[in-house]
Amino acid sequence: MELLDAIRERRTVRSFKPDPVSEQTMTAIFEAGTWAPSHGNKQPWEFVIIGPDTRAQLASRYLAMLEAGPLRDPELPDARKQAIRAFAADFGGAPLLFAVICPPATTDLDRYDFPLGAAAALQNIFLAAWERQLGGIWLSFGSTPSARELLGVEPDRTIAGIVAMGTPETVPAVQPRIPVAEKIRRLP
């Protein structure tokens, strides 16, 4: 697969087949993550694989957070609410759930750069996974105190993302993109 094809074809997946992700594949996609750029080559990430007990507790906390917030929105259609609840119950049945966690930052520059480096690692992971016919979804739930406490993340560390990953049940349709010309600004 060509890189630009992978970038354009990759989709966010919310429903997965039960096929396990092999240890070899998991290692390969995490290896791709380690090749992400980072300030000073500090490689500010740790990949934490979430096991069944922690996963069940995390799903419960995730659903509680959604029920207390986004799912209370009267403007959100009932069908969308049902889909969100179904996903949250067990992360869409994804066979692999992991978090990407940044180490403690000791300078203002590290506090700025560490999450950016971890985000670059996540992008590499998603592209390497897509090349292997795996999809996933990058969740920001890791920013909540509830998730941080469950995952044992100290206050001076950052969860860059929680990822559910596996073989897609279906591949979602392409979502429209804002034309690149509208995203470019030139300075004199």
Side-chain angles (χ1 to χ4, degrees), residues 56-165:
Q57 292 178 60
L58 193 62
S60 175
R61 292 176 186 210
Y62 182 47
L63 185 56
M65 183 273 301
L66 291 169
E67 292 290 355
L71 291 173
R72 296 180 70 176
D73 180 358
E75 301 292 317
L76 193 63
D78 285 340
R80 182 74 182 120
K81 288 179 182 180
Q82 288 176 335
I84 291 169
R85 286 183 179 108
F87 171 80
D90 187 34
F91 301 100
L96 175 60
L97 189 69
F98 64 92
V100 178
I101 301 175
C102 299
T106 57
T107 69
D108 287 341
L109 185 59
D110 286 349
R111 274 184 282 288
Y112 178 79
D113 281 335
F114 282 5
L116 298 176
L122 276 159
Q123 175 73 0
N124 282 8
I125 287 167
F126 275 100
L127 292 173
W130 195 255
E131 180 182 47
R132 291 163 177 80
Q133 289 76 52
L134 298 175
I137 182 169
W138 180 345
L139 302 167
S140 57
F141 176 58
S143 66
T144 66
S146 178
R148 294 176 59 81
E149 182 268 330
L150 180 63
L151 298 179
V153 177
E154 299 87 1
D156 58 350
R157 300 184 73 176
T158 303
I159 300 176
I162 295 173
V163 176
M165 187 170 277

